Amino acid sequence: MSAPVIEAVKARTLVSPAFFTRLSRRVAKTAGLDQARAEAITDQALAYLATSAQKPPAGPTLYMSADVDPAWHEFMTFTAEYDAFFQRPGWHKVHHNPCDGWGGATYPAPQEAIPPTTDAIRAAGFEVVPELWTTRVDCGDTCGDDGVPGDPLPCGDHG
């Protein structure tokens, strides 16, 4: 007997269809993207945030792809919806702590940072769009998710 196959879901299902449309349109406008790409990166940002919000204390640090990051930034501007997103049992709010480049933080090479992140997103049950999770990590400005409530957030980490 084989293990049951669990189909990955799109993270966009974590918010209402109307809000997803509104958010992705804003991402398209702000980032200068076509609507299809804006929807893809918005979905991946939601998957990253949901995965980070549920990350166990011993889980790996998760890093944001520079391609997906604009959707996270745009989502945070919808403060009520952003707060409501994390009001699920067992989730904690993923805070944003931007790095200005002067914090002295060092990050792993992008090819080391992205695979554990996409593995964690898949393990959480979400679809991963590989072309949006390349080795291009936005470590010069922001990246990383500590994902553990109560830990201090070094420059660039989110938790």
Side-chain angles (χ1 to χ4, degrees), residues 75-142:
F75 188 16
M76 286 185 291
T77 67
F78 291 90
T79 57
E81 290 85 352
Y82 191 76
D83 285 348
F85 182 79
F86 297 103
Q87 298 301 311
R88 293 172 167 86
W91 287 29
H92 68 274
K93 185 175 180 180
V94 178
H95 295 282
H96 189 273
N97 190 31
C99 180
D100 54 17
W102 303 307
T106 58
Y107 299 99
Q111 60 271 23
E112 295 172 26
I114 292 296
T117 299
T118 55
D119 289 348
I121 292 170
R122 283 187 190 96
F126 299 107
E127 282 185 7
V128 170
V129 180
E131 60 269 17
L132 296 178
W133 294 95
T134 64
T135 57
R136 197 169 84 95
V137 179
D138 192 2
C139 289
D141 182 26
T142 90

Side-chain angles (χ1 to χ4, degrees), residues 11-12 15 19-21 23-28 35-49 67-68 70-72 74-75 132:
R12 69 187 298 159
V15 297
F19 179 69
F20 184 84
T21 298
L23 177 58
S24 63
R25 283 183 181 158
R26 199 144 178 67
V27 170
Q35 187 60 32
R37 182 145 176 103
E39 288 179 11
I41 70 168
T42 301
D43 177 78
Q44 294 298 278
L46 295 173
Y48 171 84
L49 292 169
D67 290 327
V68 177
W72 182 13
E74 207 54 53
F75 188 16
L132 296 178

